[in-house]
Amino acid sequence: MSDELPRRPGRQRWVAEPDTVTVEATDRVRVAGAPRGFWGQAWRNLRRNPLFWIAAALILLVVVVAAFPGLFTGQDPRYCLVDNSLLPPSSAHWFGFDLQGCDIYARTIYGARASILTGVGAATLFVLIGATLGALAGYYGGLLDSVISRISEIVYAIPLMLAAIVLMQLSTERTLWLVIVTLAGFTWPQAARIARGSVIAAKNSEYVLAARALGVSRLGILVRHVLPNSVGPIIVVTAIWLGVFIVTEATLSFLGVGLPPTEVSWGADIATGQQQLRGGSLILFYPATALALTVLSFIMLGDALGDAIDPKTRRAR
């Protein structure tokens, strides 16, 4: 019998001679770089969103105008002459004058400061109070969660505009800080709810169980592991509410219960300009446009951040 088994059709084997094979790196592993973390992937998605760059450019412009108004105008917004009342625009005064004879362009430039300070201050307190209480309630639970949840529900049921009007009317001296505290004091339950839900979802993760097995304290787990992985939704809602705070301050000033008359505010200028609207004057147009663009930029920033941070909308690229 032959030592070789008969080869069936289709089962033939061919082996090349060793000298005919060139040894090269035929199997190469393509390294795509270090794996991206949560924030790295979020930034990668964010920078590819044109909406983010438009919002960032508008916000940067408004912040620079609010911080350095002297770079954009040399006029004093509080210097008013009745002789200049309702004069049309000119090369020296681009937007003309209002009814009191004040330079509209200068007041529009300087009005950005009050709006930005109000929005940033209220948003800071909004995060500090709401996110802190919500994170503690969601992480520790129990009685603390019940007490904080009931308090936030009570505050949440009070309309923001109604509460702000009542408090500002009752105050003997209306200041910028009073407006900031009032706005943050009746809106922090929004941040608390977001923070509570994010912390509850994060505290049951595997990395939290691993940290607990290594002996990390509960407070250390909350600060070092849970909060960094729960801050994304809080940032998104804060960016959106910052625009809401700005427009709310303008509304209060428009109604005459916001900032004092000595402060240059877009809302107060809109209230002054609407009296001349029927006469065909465009005084109302300039502060209203500046307010609308500022609020729109923060809302667009919040939408862009939400698209970049939300795991449901993020894609691996």
Side-chain angles (χ1 to χ4, degrees):
M1 295 180 60
S2 175
D3 294 336
E4 291 188 3
L5 295 176
R7 297 184 181 273
R8 298 180 181 179
R11 292 191 175 183
Q12 293 84 358
R13 299 177 182 177
W14 290 271
V15 180
E17 295 296 332
D19 297 338
T20 61
V21 179
T22 303
V23 180
E24 294 181 352
T26 56
D27 297 329
R28 297 181 180 178
V29 179
R30 184 176 182 181
V31 180
R36 295 179 181 270
F38 177 83
W39 293 108
Q41 183 65 34
W43 168 243
R44 184 181 183 184
N45 294 335
L46 189 64
R47 67 187 182 186
R48 296 186 178 185
N49 190 349
L51 190 66
F52 165 73
W53 293 111
I54 296 174
L58 290 175
I59 292 174
L60 180 62
L61 175 62
V62 174
V63 170
V64 172
V65 169
F68 309 102
L71 297 177
F72 299 88
T73 179
Q75 300 292 327
D76 186 356
R78 298 180 179 87
Y79 180 73
C80 306
L81 290 177
V82 180
D83 296 339
N84 296 330
S85 178
L86 299 179
L87 288 180
S90 62
S91 58
H93 306 279
W94 293 355
F95 297 166
F97 295 88
D98 60 9
L99 184 63
Q100 288 78 25
C102 305
D103 188 277
I104 300 175
Y105 174 73
R107 293 189 64 85
T108 303
I109 293 297
Y110 277 86
R113 175 172 295 179
S115 298
I116 293 298
L117 288 177
T118 302
V120 172
T124 302
L125 289 180
F126 173 81
V127 172
L128 291 178
I129 299 174
T132 302
L133 294 178
L136 293 175
Y139 185 70
Y140 289 100
L143 180 61
L144 181 63
D145 185 17
S146 300
V147 173
I148 294 178
S149 298
R150 300 295 82 78
I151 295 176
S152 64
E153 289 175 358
I154 294 174
V155 178
Y156 184 77
I158 302 175
L160 170 61
M161 187 59 63
L162 178 61
I165 291 174
V166 172
L167 286 181
M168 298 302 292
Q169 285 280 27
L170 293 177
S171 62
T172 56
E173 183 179 358
R174 300 195 301 270
T175 62
L176 180 65
W177 290 108
L178 179 61
V179 175
I180 291 174
V181 172
T182 301
L183 295 179
F186 289 95
T187 55
W188 65 264
Q190 297 283 349
R193 287 188 171 192
I194 299 296
R196 179 179 178 273
S198 300
V199 168
I200 290 177
K203 74 176 183 178
N204 297 321
S205 303
E206 295 181 355
Y207 58 84
V208 175
L209 297 177
R212 191 174 301 167
L214 293 174
V216 183
S217 64
R218 297 189 67 182
L219 182 60
I221 293 175
L222 175 62
V223 175
R224 294 166 54 186
H225 299 285
V226 175
L227 284 181
N229 291 279
S230 307
V231 73
I234 301 175
I235 295 177
V236 175
V237 73
T238 302
I240 296 175
W241 270 95
L242 203 153
V244 175
F245 292 142
I246 292 176
V247 75
T248 304
E249 178 274 322
T251 304
L252 293 174
S253 299
F254 176 82
L255 296 175
V257 295
L259 298 177
T262 55
E263 292 285 343
V264 181
S265 172
W266 286 337
D269 290 347
I270 292 174
T272 303
Q274 62 94 22
Q275 300 174 2
Q276 309 298 323
L277 187 61
R278 292 184 178 180
S281 176
L282 295 178
I283 299 175
L284 174 67
F285 174 77
Y286 304 109
T289 301
L291 176 64
L293 290 177
T294 303
V295 175
L296 180 62
S297 63
F298 283 106
I299 294 178
M300 290 193 303
L301 178 62
D303 291 339
L305 289 173
D307 294 339
I309 292 175
D310 191 356
K312 296 180 180 179
T313 59
R314 289 192 295 123
R315 302 187 306 270
R317 301 181 184 180

